[in-house]
Amino acid sequence: MKTAIRSAFVLTALVTHLAFAQGAATSAPKKVMDGFPPSKESQVTFGNYRQHPYSQWAFRNAGAPLNVLMVPRAGQIYPLQENIDGDIGKIRLKDAEGKDKTVDQILDENYTDGYLVLKGDDIRYERYFNGLSRDYQHIWFSATKSLTSTAFGILLAEGKVNLNDSPAKYIPELKGSGFERVTIQNVLDHSSSLDFKENYTDPNSDFLKHYGPAMNMARVPGGRDAEPQNTEIYGIYDFLSKFIRPNSKEVAGDVFDYNSANSDVLGWLIARISGLPYDRFVQQHIWSKLGAEHDAYTVVDRAYMGIATGGFNSTLRDAARFGKMILDRGRFNGQQVIPAEWVDASIKLSAKDKEKMKNNERYTGAAWIAYKNMWWILDEQKGEYAAVGIHGQVIYVNRDADIVVAFFSSQPVASAAGNNSFWSKIMATQEIARKLKGTGQK
């Protein structure tokens, strides 16, 4: 297999372009899934599920175009009180284009599917759009990475893994791959300096021939018809071990270069070290302890392994429960679910952490100051950081304001970089946090 060459013109986020095209469909129907059966032009398919407006339906019904496994809830539901603050939607601010808007207007105009503000146990604001409701799950995409990192901290606290080790110590199949020379901390920080080209348009590229169909999230002719007996790269784990090589021009740990393959490795480490599939580990150690209202589910690859980089789905309220657990340093409903030290580690930044973000031209002008342990950091002093997924999925945590905001979206453009729809919602979120700081629970 030929080694892929790094390209400065290709985005490195794994699921940023998992289909042949992103953005709105060229001839969008007035209504998606219209009729019984749906009209041909309104039909959601495996090929168009990430295109707007088809995505408005697909993102809350991901089990239709994709393969999924259930992540069951357990125990009593942890109650959240509906103490709605009618003034939140009226808060005024400048959006990402410098226009004066209210919070309500920003959400209305920027492809929001759901938005929830949680202060303590109080739901202060909650709105749904585009058919989403409090009872529908919605795909997190790469916000899943933060969940994966959170789960990994359990193994670290149990003494089963060392962050300075190579992933290949625990997964021998990674020997000789681009992951052999890196540390697990490099993987967590997307600082592994991998050398492969994510080419989403050339059907003859190694990437599109192997990774896209292995994930089972990109339509490639014949991809879903493959059999493991005659397919060298069948699932994601095959791709990680057989395709990825190191970038010899970089030193691992020196460069922040967002690459979702890192999260796939972390998910594989969780499974290999714990002896449980990724989805079952998350269920047993996190989801079953959050008093969730609903089951979650995860998208799986072609080998039916959970996609740790971008496959998790939950309701908005349950996403907020996860955020509340992070806000409270891993503690939830009187139980220490995740070690506090591991939660804190995501906002303990070094000068090098910040320098790596500053040196990445893709994020010039963005508010992020660092990327640490698969969390995007806005202000480490305030404890302000977020889990972020393409098309506008966010779980925002602000310790200083004692607030969690979760929102789901179906933004036509996947990437957050330079995306005014995304940043307008982040700016609205930060303004809400400023207004609610110190207000306490009603």
Side-chain angles (χ1 to χ4, degrees):
M1 184 182 300
K2 61 184 179 181
T3 302
I5 306 300
R6 183 186 192 84
S7 171
F9 302 103
V10 179
L11 301 181
T12 56
L14 167 63
V15 287
T16 301
H17 299 290
L18 276 174
F20 290 111
Q22 69 171 6
T26 54
S27 55
K30 293 182 179 180
K31 185 177 180 181
V32 175
M33 297 297 285
D34 185 25
F36 309 98
S39 63
K40 291 182 179 180
E41 61 271 16
S42 73
Q43 177 72 57
V44 174
T45 70
F46 184 41
N48 69 16
Y49 78 95
R50 285 187 51 242
Q51 294 179 18
H52 192 273
Y54 303 104
S55 56
Q56 292 178 334
W57 186 92
F59 289 178
R60 59 180 165 85
N61 293 285
L66 306 172
N67 293 332
V68 299
L69 291 176
M70 183 185 292
V71 180
R73 65 164 306 281
Q76 294 184 346
I77 295 173
Y78 183 84
L80 299 177
Q81 308 303 320
E82 295 185 19
N83 289 319
I84 303 300
D85 183 346
D87 292 332
I88 289 178
K90 302 173 185 177
I91 294 173
R92 305 199 70 87
L93 67 145
K94 299 290 186 182
D95 69 6
E97 296 179 350
K99 298 177 181 177
D100 186 57
K101 300 281 186 178
T102 65
V103 167
D104 279 341
Q105 287 173 326
I106 286 174
L107 300 184
D108 288 337
E109 297 171 5
N110 289 286
Y111 309 101
T112 313
D113 291 335
Y115 193 96
L116 187 150
V117 177
L118 188 65
K119 178 80 168 177
D121 291 337
D122 287 355
I123 297 174
R124 294 292 192 90
Y125 183 93
E126 184 178 29
R127 288 185 68 196
Y128 294 96
F129 311 76
N130 304 321
L132 190 67
S133 73
R134 58 177 284 184
D135 298 315
Y136 266 92
Q137 294 93 345
H138 191 290
I139 192 164
W140 290 21
F141 285 117
S142 286
T144 305
K145 292 176 172 63
S146 303
L147 171 67
T148 301
S149 168
T150 300
F152 185 78
I154 296 170
L155 297 176
L156 183 66
E158 292 175 347
K160 295 180 178 178
V161 65
N162 189 308
L163 296 181
N164 293 319
D165 287 340
S166 165
K169 176 179 178 179
Y170 306 91
I171 304 174
E173 295 94 320
L174 291 176
K175 291 181 178 179
S177 77
F179 290 104
E180 183 175 13
R181 68 169 183 164
V182 310
T183 68
I184 293 172
Q185 187 64 65
N186 295 154
V187 168
L188 283 158
D189 296 341
H190 286 273
S191 192
S192 47
S193 291
L194 306 176
D195 182 9
F196 75 96
K197 182 178 179 180
E198 298 187 11
N199 189 320
Y200 300 83
T201 57
D202 180 3
N204 295 312
S205 69
D206 284 332
F207 175 82
L208 200 54
K209 286 191 295 184
H210 300 300
Y211 204 2
M215 285 192 70
N216 208 19
M217 292 182 76
R219 181 173 63 85
V220 176
R224 283 190 162 180
D225 297 326
E227 295 292 338
Q229 295 85 353
N230 53 22
T231 306
E232 182 182 15
I233 296 179
Y234 187 68
I236 290 175
Y237 298 163
D238 295 329
F239 179 84
L240 298 173
S241 59
K242 297 176 182 179
F243 179 78
I244 295 180
R245 298 293 178 262
N247 183 345
S248 60
K249 296 180 181 179
E250 294 179 358
V251 176
D254 283 356
V255 177
F256 166 58
D257 195 1
Y258 187 93
N259 190 312
S260 294
N262 291 303
S263 306
D264 289 326
V265 166
L266 202 65
W268 195 0
L269 283 166
I270 288 172
R272 184 60 63 86
I273 294 169
S274 71
L276 291 172
Y278 168 80
D279 57 290
R280 286 183 58 193
F281 187 88
V282 169
Q283 192 278 333
Q284 289 186 19
H285 293 276
I286 298 179
W287 207 250
S288 64
K289 299 180 180 181
L290 295 183
E293 291 184 37
H294 292 277
D295 298 328
Y297 57 89
T298 183
V299 177
V300 294
D301 72 358
R302 197 159 55 180
Y304 297 157
M305 296 287 98
I307 297 178
T309 197
F312 204 72
N313 294 252
S314 80
T315 65
L316 189 62
R317 287 191 174 194
D318 287 340
R321 285 179 171 90
F322 171 73
K324 175 177 169 56
M325 184 266 290
I326 296 298
L327 176 70
D328 293 336
R329 302 179 65 230
R331 193 168 182 81
F332 194 89
N333 197 22
Q335 182 180 9
Q336 195 69 41
V337 179
I338 305 298
E341 295 79 10
W342 180 242
V343 178
D344 292 346
S346 296
I347 50 175
K348 289 185 177 179
L349 305 180
S350 67
K352 187 173 184 179
D353 291 328
K354 297 179 181 180
E355 191 68 19
K356 287 190 292 186
M357 176 64 76
K358 183 178 179 180
N359 290 338
N360 188 316
E361 294 180 357
R362 175 163 169 72
Y363 302 101
T364 299
W368 311 120
I369 63 168
Y371 186 88
K372 184 75 172 180
N373 289 347
M374 299 194 179
W375 288 88
W376 295 88
I377 316 302
L378 289 159
D379 188 327
E380 83 274 30
Q381 298 301 321
K382 293 181 179 179
E384 185 187 23
Y385 56 124
V388 177
I390 58 168
H391 296 290
Q393 325 312 324
V394 170
I395 302 173
Y396 168 92
V397 175
N398 188 319
R399 290 187 182 182
D400 186 54
D402 190 31
I403 194 174
V404 171
V405 176
F407 63 83
F408 295 145
S409 311
S410 49
Q411 295 166 189
V413 177
S415 177
N419 189 327
N420 286 338
S421 288
F422 175 84
W423 284 106
S424 290
K425 284 178 285 195
I426 290 292
M427 294 165 75
T429 298
Q430 291 181 302
E431 187 63 24
I432 291 169
R434 281 190 286 269
K435 295 291 186 181
L436 294 188
K437 179 182 176 181
T439 60
Q441 289 183 245
K442 287 187 177 180

